[in-house]
Each structure stands twice: as structure tokens, then as C-alpha cells.
RNA sequence: AGGCUCGUAGCUCAGGGGGAGAGCGCUACCUUGACACGGUAGAGGUCGGCGGUUCGAAACCGCCCGGGCCUACCA
């Protein structure tokens, strides 16, 4: 065996084992396997992306599940891949072009797309390497990209098929337009932000000269496109004006005063200017009127004013125009006032540019019929959302869902499979490029210039990545997938749409569970963002503390329903844990002698400590399994942490040292037990800390495996389960532990040197105690540095002794010559006071008739026992104090 | 405006009807042959406030205060 270094350093280790796993093909799924499937599709990161904390958490949690299931014997497939991120990627490449003084229109569509692919090959997919360094055990042989040939075919199939079923249609209405990205966006791609703006009050003179009507607006520049002023029909103030005309300032146009219920008489002046072409509300009002109001588009796709805005304003940027309009109104004496006003503005989720509602012809998915089934799937628990509280979010969105605008005016993406006939205007939607018009047989066909929303293709991800529409073995074996692990921010973008599409095209849910994990924030709870400058780069953390410590920290933080506040100190803390494990392993391996790693260890030949640690190992394994089954990653991590540090290291390793350093018959059994426990511990921990566990495990196995037939890697070693518990040794061990801690408390509280061996007398209070202690004196000697002088149930406390009073026993430490007795008296008085508090609390409770009558019997019984126990304890403490005072008097 | 969520040790957070837990930090002592990235013993908390339900509330319910988030077409 190679000598292990004194402390663990991850450098080199991580790369080595990742390469080893890849070479061994351990990540690769076998659809032909007999074992039950467990499959996960990664939420595909953007091709433009680089690893952030969110990815790190997301990937770590999936990897934990996947490694755990793989070790548990399931046929595991974890599909990785990336999303082509239409708008984001196009933006990146357009910026690149701009720096060369070119724009995409100059370049032309084909050349541009070629350029994006080139970019993708060169820079895209950085994140894939980063996922690998996190340890992600994805099946890279099945990596997919949303613009792959296969996935593109799936997209076309779905589009055409939905169109055939009347679920995709084309319509002209207001859309969310990003003037910078130059494309339409769906409702959920728009972010709302509360900002302080201004509410401008403008006078619109009545055309008949009889006064004016004041309207209030946050967007004065749109007045140039007003086609009405609306008031509430019930509003007495304006009732007479309905039907009259007003003169629209700065334009000379005359527009009517109309009535509409949507107007809130209590807001502003109670009169609203109506700009149907630039406001969603106004559009609705316009369409409700009969005849419908006119739409005048005064702002163009680039965010500047159109000719229709008037010669003075045409070509102006919309914000410059706002200033100009206000100035002009003021000049004409029509500006009533401007007041500060808090309101929310809509911005593009990619570039934060303020959205401009524009009227345009776009493609839509008719969503209600799809949503109904998707709602039902969650309602009937065919799909479980964990934590359950996110179901509310899902339902409330799905219940109020609007049709999905899926066309984007960009080039990078799946081009819409629709063609327009130049001769007759027919729209032909087709899986293949049509040769001639289906209506007039004209050959002058032009394909739609637009591409589909990126999310349209990612909605198909759970089955398109498995080969659909082909009937592949993968699809057969691994659909539906087992779980989707993701953040809440994309419940709408994906989860909901994946469910709709899965149900529609596979007639089956896409995943059984949806695990919604937290958002990673900075230490003060702020969302990490580049603009705030509070981003912590996971790669730097991994470099600094090691990937294992980082992953473990994420897992420990990942409690359900709460966001993660990331703090570097905790990563450091868990790096210490990695090092602790490393050193414990180092100890075990260097003290295992010639022992082989046994496949099982029989309890009968083991000492108490070994039986105890075996039982505790079993307990930890059970806890971890239950926790992982319920996606309680933090609890699973906590269990193994506690086991390794506070049971294996603090107690077991310490207590077997005397055995290992001597030549007793028990020695080999202990060595085997140590190896066995280490082996199982590493396997339990492996899903959380893949690298260090592999590194140690390989050292452990070298030359020590009884059989050489398996064990190439810990990642395919069986996950421990159903190990045997042993209640008796746990019970016995707790007697030892209590006793040891009693002696240590005396030592610590009285400040006796750790190197000083103490003479100890023990009075046993339970029948079994004496026997247990007598059989295990060696542990007391080692763990408490105590020489036990006498044990007995009628033992008298030696004069001038300190005492520790426990449930099973009282421990006496004669202090003669060790220190002054005053200190011990003081300490005991503190204990007495504590006991008094407990006694008074419990007696109040036990004197309460209602409690005795109504509380469950076993609780009452337990409280009574506690009370009795406490009374006895107090008596004993008093006794000790008395004796010490006596002794002091004699001194 | 609705909805969700959080408030527990100095800090970051678990827990959850039967007198409070972890990590880090802090104090004292300790270079004991795995580990000072360590060991032992401690200190430290009216579990945000007020009501209610209950024999019993930090936990369940209501209100309030204070954070955070998500939805929504009040111009």
C-alpha cells in the first residue's frame, strides 16, 4: 500500500479519477440491462453559459441521486446536454460581429448561422467541462444539443403535428417586443421591476371648445398614437362627455371619449388615454368597442418613433420623444402636472431593455387544452412536486395560462416549418420543404423567416433526447424519467411545458418526481448577479477547497424549501471534514496489518466497541437511505458526517487503539472490522464526495480484497443497505460513554491536566452496569485516562472526591493532592441548581390533574421517571456536597 | 393587489406538540504514536411580538412587526 499523505490534497486526484471513470465507461447506460431503470435528464444549461452556483447545486444534487441509484443496482441513465439559447447566443455573436464592424444582415442568414456554429464549436460548451470537473457522472456518450439533427426533427414533428390538430395558429395582436434583441418574447420572458417613474397629467381639450378632460399616463410619448379617451360608464363626472370628441394635442387629430368598465374611476383622474397599438389594456379596450378603435403604431421595432407619430417626432428614440412631448405640452399649456409614481416596468429577460408592446403577426400555441391534462397529472399525483408547496405556484400559473407566443425574429434556432405562397398567399406547414403550393400549385414559396422559441425545443427534452420520434431502446427503457431536478425559476419555462408536451406526444408524464431546489444567494441573502458584483465563482471555490468539500457543503445547505446562503467559511469547515476522513482512513490502513477486507463481519467474535460501530454504521446507512428517498439531502449528509466524525473517529478509533497496539487475539477481528466499516463508510459517502472516497477506497482495496473479481471502482460498488443493528451493544456502549463523559467532565471542569491519570471509584446504579464496566475497563483507561480502583453497587464515596452523577452510575474521583475542594463544591452546586430547576418544572407538570388525565400514558410515565431520576440525582449531589464540606472541614 | 416563504446561539442554518441542535466563531486546558484542517471540557438562546387552540406551544391557528421571493393589464 502506498503511504498516504498527512493531509488530503485534491489537486491531481480529481482529474485522475474522473478520467478513470470515463475510461471505465461507468457513466454509460445500458438500455439492455435487466435491472430497473433510473433516468434523469439534466436541465440543459445555455450553450453560452458558464458554471454558476445554481448549476453547481443542481448538478451536485442530481449526481448524488444518480450515483446513489447506480450503486444501488439500478440501470441508470443521466443525459447531459445543452440548450442552443437562441436569443442569448445570437446576442453574443452579434456583439462579436459588431466589433468587426459587420452586422448580421450584411452577412446574410446562412453565413451568420455558420458563424454561430463556429462560435459554438470554439467557445460554446465551456460549461460541459465545468460540469465534468464537478464530478457529474453523466452519460456523455449520449450528450445532446437542442439543435442536433434528431432533436430538430422532433421539433418539426411537434410543430407540424400541433398545427394539424389546430393547437398552433398564427395571429396578429400585441406582443412583447424587445427593441434591442429585435424579437417577440413570450409573457414569461418578460421581467417586471418596480421603479420610480412619473405620472404625467395632460389636458385634452374638448373639440367643441367646452373645457378639457385630463388624462394621466406614465408614457406621455404614446399619446401620439391615442385613438380614444376612456372613462368608466358609471363615473358621474364624465357621463356627459361620453361620445364627445377631444382634440388630441400635438397632432390635430380628433378622438372620441368612450366608456369602458375596465377604467378605474378612483385612479388618477378617472380618464384614460387609449393607445391600442402600444398597451395591452388599451388593445383590449379597443377591441371591445364597436366598431373597434383604430390602431396607430407610433413606435417602431427599433424603439424609435414612426412617421405616424408626426413629422416632428418621427425617428426620435422613444425616450427622447417623451421629453420632447412633455416640453411641447408644457409650451402649449396642456401639461397639468407631473407627480412621482411607483410602477412596474417590463423588461427583456435577456438584455433588460424595456419591452415595447407592438402589434405583429406571430405563431402561438393554443395552450389551454394542453394545460388541462398537465394540471390533472399533478393533481392526481402521477407527478409529485417536491417540496409540495411549489404545487401552488404550478397550479396558479397553469390555471391562468395564456397562449404561448413561439415565434422569434432571430436566426439562431429551429426555423419555423411554414411556407408562404407568393401567388395565392396560402400558408403551408409541412415536415419537409414543399415543392409547390398545396392550393394553387405555385412554386414561388418562401419559408417563414422566424425561428421557434428555444423553450419550445427544451419542452421536448425528456423524450427528444431519448431519440423520439424514433422508437429507440433508450426511449423504451428510460421514459418516463425518474426525476427532474431544477430551480423554481423555471417551473414555468420548463417543468410545466415538459409536462404538457410529454403528455401530448408520449401520452405519458415526462418524470415522476420534480425536485425543486433552492436558489443560491450570497451570504447576506442577495440573489447573486453580475450587476451586483456578488457572484461567487464555484470553480474558484472548488480550486481552493476541493470539489468534495464544495459538493458536501451544497448538499448540507440544500434543505427543502429554503434558499442557500452561501458562505465560504462553511466550505472550509467541510474541507476539514474531508481531511478528518482522510486521516481516519490513513490510521485504519496503516494499522490494518495483514488483514483482508471482509465481505461480512460476524458480530459474535467482536468486542463491544466493534459491535457498536457496526450497529451505528447500520443506523447511518438506514438514515441516509430514508433521507435520500425523500430528497432530504441535508439530512443524509448530516447522518454520514455525524457518523464519521462523532462515532467512528471520536469513539471507535480511539477505543480500539489499545487493542491495535497490543498483540491480543481480538486484534485481527478489530482490524477486519475497521476495514469493513471504512469500506462501507466510503461507499455511503461516495455520492456526496466522489473523489476522495475513490482515492481512499482504491488504497483500501489494494491487496486487501478477498476476491479480485470486482471492485474496479467505488462508484459501481454496491451501496450499503439493510445492515444489522445490535440494540444490546448500543445500550452497553451508552453505559461506557456516559461513564467516560462523566470522568471527562470532572477532569475538564476542575481543570485537571489531560495527561494526569485519575483514580476512579464507580458506584453502579443499575444491575447490569457493573458487569458491563468490568468487562470493558480497557476502554475507560483509554478514553478517560482513568484507573478504575473499585466498582460496586454499595461502594461508599471516598472522602474528598469529586463526583459525576449519571443515570447508570456515579463516578468518584478522589481529589486529594489534585486540587482544592472549593472548586468542586462550587461545580456541584451548579449542578444542583440545574437539577432543582428541572424538578420544579416536572413537579408542576405532575401535579397538574389535566396533564395526568389527558396526556398519553407513556408520556406521563416518562415524565414521572424523569422526575424520580432527577430527585435521586439531586439527593446524591447534596450528599456529595456534604461529604466534601466535611472533608474540607477536616483539612 | 394577491400568493408563497422566512424570522431559532455572535454568524450561517437544521429541527419541530412532551424544558433546544449542527457548522463556524468564542473561553480554558492539551504537540496523547490518523488528523492542530486535531482532542477534551465549557460559555452562549424569554426559538421576531401579541393573542388563541391544547393538560402542555419554539412547533398548530389568527393578527402584527421585519426580511425575501413570485405572480397581476390600476393608466
Amino acid at each position: 500500500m502506498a503511504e498516504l499523505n498527512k493531509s488530503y490534497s485534491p489537486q491531481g486526484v480529481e482529474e485522475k479519477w474522473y478520467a478513470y471513470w470515463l475510461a471505465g465507461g461507468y457513466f454509460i447506460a445500458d438500455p439492455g440491462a435487466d435491472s430497473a431503470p433510473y433516468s434523469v435528464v439534466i436541465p440543459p444549461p445555455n450553450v453560452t453559459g458558464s458554471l454558476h452556483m445554481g448549476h453547481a447545486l443542481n448538478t451536485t444534487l442530481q449526481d448524488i441521486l444518480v450515483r446513489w441509484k447506480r450503486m444501488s443496482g439500478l440501470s441508470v441513465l443521466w443525459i447531459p446536454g445543452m440548450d442552443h439559447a437562441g436569443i442569448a447566443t445570437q446576442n453574443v455573436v452579434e456583439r462579436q460581429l459588431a466589433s468587426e464592424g459587420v452586422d448580421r444582415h450584411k452577412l446574410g442568414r446562412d453565413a451568420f448561422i455558420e458563424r454561430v456554429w463556429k462560435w459554438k464549436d470554439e467557445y460554446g460548451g465551456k460549461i460541459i467541462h465545468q460540469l465534468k470537473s464537478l464530478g457529474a457522472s453523466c452519460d456523455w456518450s449520449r450528450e445532446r444539443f437542442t439543435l442536433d439533427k434528431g432533436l430538430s426533427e422532433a421539433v418539426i414533428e411537434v410543430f407540424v403535428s400541433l398545427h394539424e390538430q389546430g393547437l398552433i395558429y398564427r395571429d396578429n395582436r400585441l406582443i412583447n417586443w424587445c427593441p434591442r434583441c429585435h424579437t417577440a418574447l413570450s409573457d414569461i420572458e418578460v421581467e417586471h421591476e418596480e421603479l420610480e417613474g412619473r405620472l404625467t397629467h395632460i389636458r385634452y381639450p374638448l373639440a367643441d371648445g367646452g373645457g378639457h378632460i385630463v388624462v394621466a399616463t406614465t408614457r406621455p410619448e404614446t399619446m401620439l398614437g391615442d385613438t380614444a379617451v376612456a372613462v368608466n360608464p358609471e363615473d358621474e363626472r364624465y357621463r356627459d362627455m361620453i361620445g364627445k370628441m377631444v382634440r388630441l394635442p400635438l397632432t390635430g387629430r380628433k378622438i372620441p371619449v368612450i366608456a369602458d368598465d375596465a377604467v378605474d374611476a378612483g385612479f388618477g383622474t378617472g380618464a384614460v388615454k387609449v393607445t391600442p397599438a402600444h398597451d395591452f389594456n388599451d388593445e383590449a379596450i379597443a377591441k371591445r368597442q364597436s366598431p373597434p378603435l383604430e390602431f396607430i403604431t407610433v413606435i417602431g421595432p427599433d424603439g424609435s418613433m414612426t412617421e405616424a407619430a408626426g413629422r416632428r417626432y418621427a425617428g426620435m428614440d422613444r425616450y427622447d420623444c417623451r421629453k420632447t412631448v412633455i416640453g411641447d405640452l408644457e409650451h402649449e399649456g396642456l401639461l397639468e402636472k407631473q407627480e412621482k409614481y411607483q410602477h412596474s416596468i417590463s423588461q427583456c429577460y435577456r438584455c433588460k431593455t424595456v419591452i415595447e408592446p407592438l402589434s405583429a403577426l406571430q405563431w402561438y400555441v393554443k395552450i389551454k387544452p394542453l394545460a388541462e391534462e398537465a394540471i390533472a397529472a399533478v393533481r392526481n399525483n402521477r407527478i409529485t412536486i417536491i417540496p409540495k408547496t411549489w404545487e401552488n405556484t404550478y397550479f396558479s400559473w397553469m390555471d391562468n395560462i395564456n397562449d404561448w407566443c413561439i415565434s422569434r425574429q432571430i436566426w439562431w434556432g429551429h426555423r419555423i416549418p411554414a411556407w408562404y405562397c407568393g401567388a395565392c398567399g396560402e400558408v403551408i406547414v409541412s415536415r419537409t420543404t414543399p415543392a409547390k403550393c398545396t392550393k394553387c400549385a405555385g412554386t414561388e414559396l418562401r419559408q417563414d423567416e422566424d425561428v421557434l422559441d428555444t423553450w419550445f425545443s427544451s419542452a421536448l427534452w425528456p423524450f427528444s433526447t431519448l431519440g423520439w420520434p424514433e422508437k429507440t431502446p433508450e426511449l423504451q427503457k428510460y421514459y418516463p424519467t425518474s426525476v427532474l431536478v431544477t430551480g423554481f425559476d423555471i417551473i414555468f419555462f420548463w417543468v410545466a411545458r415538459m409536462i404538457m408536451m410529454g403528455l401530448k406526444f408520449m401520452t405519458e408524464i415526462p418524470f415522476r418526481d420534480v425536485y425543486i431546489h433552492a436558489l443560491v444567494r450570497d451570504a447576506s441573502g442577495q440573489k447573486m448577479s453580475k450587476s451586483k458584483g456578488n457572484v461567487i465563482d464555484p470553480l474558484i471555490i472548488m480550486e481552493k477547497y476541493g470539489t468534495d468539500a464544495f459538493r458536501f457543503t451544497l448538499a448540507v445547505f440544500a434543505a427543502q424549501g429554503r434558499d442557500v446562503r452561501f458562505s465560504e467559511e462553511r466550505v472550509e469547515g467541510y474541507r476539514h471534514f474531508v481531511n478528518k476522513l482522510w486521516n481516519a482512513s490513513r490510521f485504519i490502513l496503516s494499522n490494518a496489518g495483514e488483514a483482508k477486507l471482509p465481505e461480512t463481519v460476524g458480530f459474535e467474535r467482536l468486542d463491544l466497541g466493534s459491535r457498536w460501530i457496526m450497529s451505528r454504521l447500520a443506523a447511518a446507512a438506514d438514515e441516509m437511505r430514508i433521507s435520500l428517498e425523500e430528497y432530504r439531502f441535508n439530512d443524509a449528509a448530516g447522518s454520514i458526517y455525524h457518523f464519521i466524525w462523532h462515532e467512528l473517529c471520536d469513539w471507535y478509533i480511539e477505543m480500539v487503539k489499545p487493542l491495535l497496539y497490543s498483540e491480543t487475539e481480538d486484534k485481527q477481528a478489530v482490524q477486519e472490522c475497521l476495514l469493513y466499516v471504512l469500506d462501507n463508510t466510503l461507499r455511503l459517502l461516495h455520492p456526496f464526495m466522489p473523489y476522495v472516497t475513490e482515492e481512499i477506497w482504491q488504497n483500501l482495496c489494494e491487496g486487501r480484497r478477498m476476491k479480485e473479481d470486482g471492485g474496479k471502482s467505488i462508484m459501481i460498488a454496491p451501496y450499503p443497505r439493510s445492515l444489522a443493528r445490535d440494540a444490546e451493544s448500543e445500550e452497553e456502549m451508552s453505559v461506557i460513554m456516559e461513564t467516560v463523559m462523566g470522568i471527562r467532565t470532572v477532569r475538564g471542569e476542575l481543570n485537571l491536566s489531560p495527561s494526569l491519570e485519575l483514580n476512579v471509584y464507580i458506584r453502579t446504579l443499575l444491575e447490569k452496569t457493573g458487569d458491563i464496566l468490568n468487562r470493558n475497563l480497557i476502554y475507560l483507561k483509554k478514553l478517560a485516562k482513568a484507573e478504575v480502583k473499585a466498582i460496586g453497587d454499595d461502594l461508599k464515596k471516598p472522602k474528598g472526591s469529586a463526583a459525576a452523577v449519571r443515570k447508570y452510575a456515579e463516578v468518584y474521583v478522589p481529589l486529594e493532592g489534585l486540587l482544592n475542594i472549593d472548586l468542586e463544591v462550587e461545580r456541584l452546586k451548579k449542578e444542583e441548581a440545574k437539577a432543582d430547576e428541572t424538578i420544579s418544572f416536572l413537579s408542576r407538570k405532575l401535579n397538574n390533574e389535566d396533564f395526568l388525565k389527558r396526556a398519553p400514558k407513556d408520556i406521563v410515565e416518562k415524565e414521572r421517571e424523569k422526575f424520580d431520576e432527577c430527585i435521586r440525582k439531586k439527593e446524591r449531589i447534596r450528599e456529595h456536597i456534604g461529604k466534601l464540606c466535611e472533608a474540607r472541614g477536616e483539612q
Side-chain angles (χ1 to χ4, degrees):
Chain A
M1 181 207 66
E3 192 79 359
L4 299 182
N5 289 327
K6 194 167 170 180
S7 64
Y8 174 66
S9 94
Q11 279 76 29
V13 172
E14 302 184 355
E15 295 78 359
K16 177 178 71 182
W17 292 119
Y18 202 85
Y20 179 82
W21 297 328
L22 282 176
Y26 304 132
F27 300 163
I28 295 176
D30 173 14
D34 290 333
S35 41
Y38 186 83
S39 54
V40 178
V41 290
I42 204 168
N46 287 352
V47 62
T48 54
S50 65
L51 193 78
H52 59 56
M53 282 290 171
H55 296 125
L57 175 63
N58 180 260
T59 305
T60 297
L61 298 184
Q62 287 173 82
D63 197 46
I64 288 169
L65 290 173
V66 157
R67 285 181 185 267
W68 168 53
K69 291 292 184 181
R70 194 185 285 118
M71 290 175 78
S72 299
L74 300 185
S75 168
V76 168
L77 169 60
W78 183 15
I79 293 198
M82 286 182 298
D83 185 309
H84 66 277
I87 298 171
T89 311
Q90 176 148 339
N91 281 349
V92 168
V93 177
E94 283 193 304
R95 260 202 305 278
Q96 213 180 46
L97 288 177
S99 71
E100 299 163 17
V102 192
D103 78 47
R104 66 173 159 122
H105 300 281
K106 232 187 263 173
L107 209 57
R109 185 167 190 138
D110 291 343
F112 178 75
I113 289 175
E114 204 176 301
R115 176 75 189 243
V116 183
W117 277 107
K118 209 180 116 202
W119 176 89
K120 188 230 168 201
D121 292 340
E122 251 174 79
Y123 306 102
K126 183 167 69 174
I127 194 164
I128 292 294
H129 299 288
Q130 297 170 330
L131 294 178
K132 288 179 180 172
S133 67
L134 253 182
S137 60
C138 304
D139 183 348
W140 300 106
S141 72
R142 291 183 166 86
E143 181 185 340
R144 306 309 296 265
F145 183 54
T146 43
L147 276 179
D148 281 352
K149 188 159 169 289
L151 274 68
S152 301
E153 278 164 15
V155 167
I156 288 173
E157 176 58 36
V158 165
F159 184 94
V160 175
S161 167
L162 286 174
H163 182 260
E164 283 166 356
Q165 296 170 57
L167 292 172
I168 281 185
Y169 66 94
R170 216 170 162 223
D171 191 28
N172 194 352
R173 62 175 76 151
L174 283 198
I175 45 133
N176 301 295
W177 178 266
C178 174
R180 208 217 58 84
C181 298
H182 245 259
T183 181
L185 299 170
S186 69
D187 295 344
I188 53 177
E189 288 169 302
V190 175
E191 289 177 355
H192 303 273
E193 194 181 2
E194 285 272 313
L195 281 180
E196 175 143 309
R198 254 181 300 185
L199 194 57
T200 305
H201 296 245
I202 309 169
R203 284 183 205 136
Y204 285 11
L206 286 168
D208 59 14
H212 58 257
I213 190 165
V214 178
V215 298
T217 179
T218 53
R219 300 201 58 195
E221 73 281 11
T222 62
M223 66 154 294
L224 300 168
D226 284 1
T227 54
V229 170
V231 298
N232 191 293
E234 305 299 319
D235 193 337
E236 297 293 340
R237 294 171 295 174
Y238 298 115
R239 187 162 281 180
D240 295 344
M241 297 194 187
I242 297 169
K244 287 190 175 172
M245 300 300 276
V246 296
R247 234 182 46 239
L248 185 62
L250 314 181
T251 68
R253 276 192 288 121
K254 286 182 187 167
I255 57 175
V257 177
I258 58 161
D260 192 285
D261 291 332
V263 179
D264 176 1
F267 184 89
T269 62
V272 191
K273 60 189 271 314
V274 182
T275 323
H278 296 288
D279 185 284
F280 291 100
N281 281 323
D282 295 359
E283 179 195 32
I285 293 175
K287 285 184 171 169
R288 277 197 289 270
Q289 293 292 314
S290 66
L293 298 175
E294 193 188 349
F295 282 60
I296 301 178
T297 298
V298 291
I299 302 170
D302 59 354
S304 69
M305 310 307 289
T306 64
E307 293 297 325
R311 242 214 332 243
R312 173 166 165 74
Y313 307 104
M316 259 183 209
D317 171 78
R318 51 186 169 156
Y319 292 105
D320 295 337
C321 180
R322 178 176 300 176
K323 284 180 208 145
T324 310
V325 162
I326 288 173
D328 291 352
L329 287 170
E330 195 164 23
H331 186 74
E332 294 198 14
L334 296 173
L335 186 67
E336 176 112 344
K337 63 174 173 181
Q338 289 191 281
E339 53 193 19
K340 280 189 180 169
Y341 181 61
Q342 192 80 15
H343 70 133
S344 88
I345 55 142
S346 311
Q347 33 187 236
C348 171
Y349 80 139
R350 287 292 174 218
C351 71
K352 312 296 173 204
T353 301
V354 176
I355 291 300
E356 188 58 51
L358 281 186
S359 193
L361 190 56
Q362 302 284 344
W363 290 93
Y364 292 87
V365 175
K366 191 174 169 188
I367 211 87
K368 279 257 154 56
L370 296 168
E372 274 165 25
E373 268 202 77
I375 291 168
V378 175
R379 246 191 243 292
N380 317 328
N381 295 316
R382 287 169 69 199
I383 296 175
T384 309
I385 298 181
I386 302 145
K388 210 173 175 55
T389 161
W390 289 110
E391 283 185 2
N392 293 332
T393 307
Y394 174 80
F395 287 132
S396 73
W397 188 64
M398 290 296 258
D399 288 341
N400 301 307
I401 198 164
N402 289 318
D403 283 357
W404 175 14
C405 174
I406 50 172
S407 40
R408 299 288 175 273
Q409 287 66 52
I410 57 176
W411 287 346
W412 175 242
H414 302 97
R415 194 160 173 183
I416 292 176
W419 285 262
Y420 307 101
C421 175
C424 71
E426 177 72 353
V427 179
I428 304 148
V429 171
S430 165
R431 289 176 178 80
T432 53
T433 308
K436 56 183 195 229
C437 176
T438 47
K439 192 174 173 193
C440 72
T443 53
E444 199 190 309
L445 299 179
R446 183 178 49 81
Q447 186 172 4
D448 196 309
E449 293 290 326
D450 291 351
V451 300
L452 289 164
D453 183 357
T454 306
W455 301 102
F456 189 87
S457 52
S458 40
L460 318 180
W461 189 253
F463 50 94
S464 64
T465 52
L466 293 169
W468 187 90
E470 303 289 312
K471 276 199 166 163
T472 61
E474 284 85 352
L475 197 62
Q476 211 83 9
K477 173 100 183 171
Y478 296 112
Y479 192 92
T481 64
S482 309
V483 60
L484 180 75
V485 178
T486 188
F488 68 84
D489 45 337
I490 56 173
I491 291 180
F492 307 145
F493 283 111
W494 280 17
V495 180
R497 287 166 176 173
M498 283 176 174
I499 295 173
M500 291 190 268
M501 291 302 190
L503 288 169
K504 185 78 197 169
F505 289 94
M506 297 295 297
T507 61
E508 174 61 287
I509 53 169
F511 27 70
R512 289 191 181 73
D513 290 348
V514 179
Y515 179 69
I516 304 289
H517 65 243
L519 205 71
V520 183
R521 301 172 179 283
D522 73 4
S524 60
Q526 297 287 305
K527 216 165 163 171
M528 288 188 191
S529 75
K530 276 182 206 153
S531 53
K532 282 186 204 139
N534 61 348
V535 175
I536 300 173
D537 183 349
L539 294 167
I540 292 174
I541 299 291
M542 286 154 67
E543 178 68 29
K544 198 163 163 194
Y545 301 101
T547 300
D548 291 316
F550 177 56
R551 286 173 53 123
F552 200 81
T553 308
L554 290 175
V556 167
F557 266 121
Q560 285 182 11
R562 194 200 278 249
D563 285 344
V564 172
R565 285 199 196 193
F566 192 83
S567 88
E568 207 172 315
E569 292 81 55
R570 274 192 86 166
V571 186
E572 193 177 359
Y574 290 112
R575 184 188 60 183
H576 296 172
F577 173 54
V578 176
N579 194 244
K580 186 75 179 175
L581 170 72
W582 178 259
N583 275 290
S585 306
R586 208 157 68 95
F587 172 81
I588 292 171
L589 296 184
S590 60
N591 285 283
E594 298 300 309
K596 293 283 184 194
L597 171 60
E599 305 217 332
T600 54
V601 175
F603 274 63
E604 56 289 346
R605 41 193 288 259
L606 296 179
D607 61 297
L608 170 60
S610 298
R611 275 178 288 147
W612 172 77
I613 200 67
M614 294 280 290
S615 187
R616 296 310 303 156
L617 172 71
D622 286 346
E623 284 171 24
M624 289 188 77
R625 183 176 47 78
I626 291 166
S627 299
L628 286 174
E629 272 168 5
E630 295 172 4
Y631 300 98
R632 287 183 289 110
F633 297 94
N634 59 321
D635 288 339
S639 294
I640 192 68
Y641 180 94
H642 184 261
F643 172 74
I644 290 174
W645 203 308
H646 298 303
E647 296 185 320
L648 180 59
C649 293
D650 286 354
W651 290 95
Y652 184 61
I653 286 183
E654 290 308 318
M655 66 200 292
V656 295
K657 277 178 179 173
L659 285 170
L660 290 173
Y661 296 154
S662 67
E663 288 305 328
T664 62
E665 285 175 19
D666 292 341
K667 182 169 168 176
Q668 198 189 333
V670 168
Q671 287 174 326
E672 285 181 5
C673 182
L674 277 166
L675 292 173
Y676 176 86
V677 170
L678 179 59
D679 175 32
N680 279 276
T681 301
L682 292 170
R683 286 195 251 158
L684 284 173
L685 184 59
H686 178 259
F688 294 83
M689 293 191 173
Y691 294 118
V692 69
T693 50
E694 181 77 286
E695 175 76 5
I696 298 169
W697 196 78
Q698 294 285 345
N699 274 290
L700 165 67
C701 291
E702 201 182 328
R704 281 206 192 80
R705 291 196 70 85
M706 298 177 101
K707 288 190 254 168
E708 282 302 327
D709 55 347
K712 288 270 197 292
S713 165
I714 191 173
M715 67 164 286
I716 50 169
Y719 203 72
R721 63 171 301 156
S722 306
L723 306 179
R725 292 289 292 273
D726 178 19
E728 194 189 341
S729 48
E730 293 201 27
E731 173 80 28
E732 289 191 9
M733 185 63 189
S734 66
V735 171
I736 305 290
M737 290 165 86
E738 286 251 320
T739 310
V740 167
M741 287 191 284
I743 300 169
R744 283 174 176 172
T745 300
V746 169
R747 186 193 293 278
E749 292 272 277
L750 299 183
N751 228 342
L752 301 172
S753 162
S755 55
L756 188 68
E757 186 170 272
L758 300 177
N759 290 328
V760 168
Y761 297 79
I762 300 172
R763 180 177 156 210
T764 59
L765 302 169
L766 294 178
E767 212 177 316
K768 299 181 297 187
T769 309
D771 187 36
I772 294 169
L773 290 172
N774 269 315
R775 278 190 278 118
N776 296 290
L777 290 176
I778 186 172
Y779 295 146
L780 298 189
K781 185 160 186 113
K782 171 64 191 165
L783 297 170
K785 196 142 178 137
E787 181 67 32
V788 176
K789 293 291 184 191
I791 298 179
D793 56 1
D794 55 353
L795 197 98
K796 291 276 183 304
K797 183 185 172 194
K799 272 188 181 165
S801 301
V805 179
R806 299 287 135 141
K807 191 167 153 199
Y808 304 104
E810 287 179 20
V811 180
Y812 310 128
V813 181
L815 296 178
E816 202 164 355
L818 297 180
L819 63 25
N820 83 51
I821 291 175
D822 292 348
L823 266 180
E824 171 65 358
V825 171
E826 200 181 303
R827 188 184 70 85
L828 285 172
K829 282 192 170 156
K830 239 163 66 185
E831 269 198 54
E832 188 194 359
K834 259 188 200 167
D836 274 338
E837 264 182 60
T838 310
I839 286 167
S840 80
F841 167 74
L842 288 173
S843 74
R844 247 178 291 138
K845 203 169 194 175
L846 290 167
N847 284 327
N848 181 342
E849 296 237 347
D850 284 327
F851 173 71
L852 297 175
K853 229 167 29 200
R854 300 190 195 226
K857 267 199 314 243
D858 57 318
I859 295 285
V860 176
E861 191 49 37
K862 231 163 77 187
E863 298 295 286
R864 209 187 297 275
E865 268 173 34
K866 262 199 264 179
F867 180 76
D868 293 345
E869 153 82 24
C870 207
I871 290 282
R872 282 197 302 270
K873 184 171 175 178
K874 186 199 152 123
E875 277 165 10
R876 281 180 266 139
I877 293 170
R878 284 223 54 84
E879 210 177 304
H880 299 153
I881 293 174
K883 293 224 172 105
L884 280 175
C885 289
E886 244 172 66
R888 187 165 49 184
E890 284 170 17
Q891 272 176 347

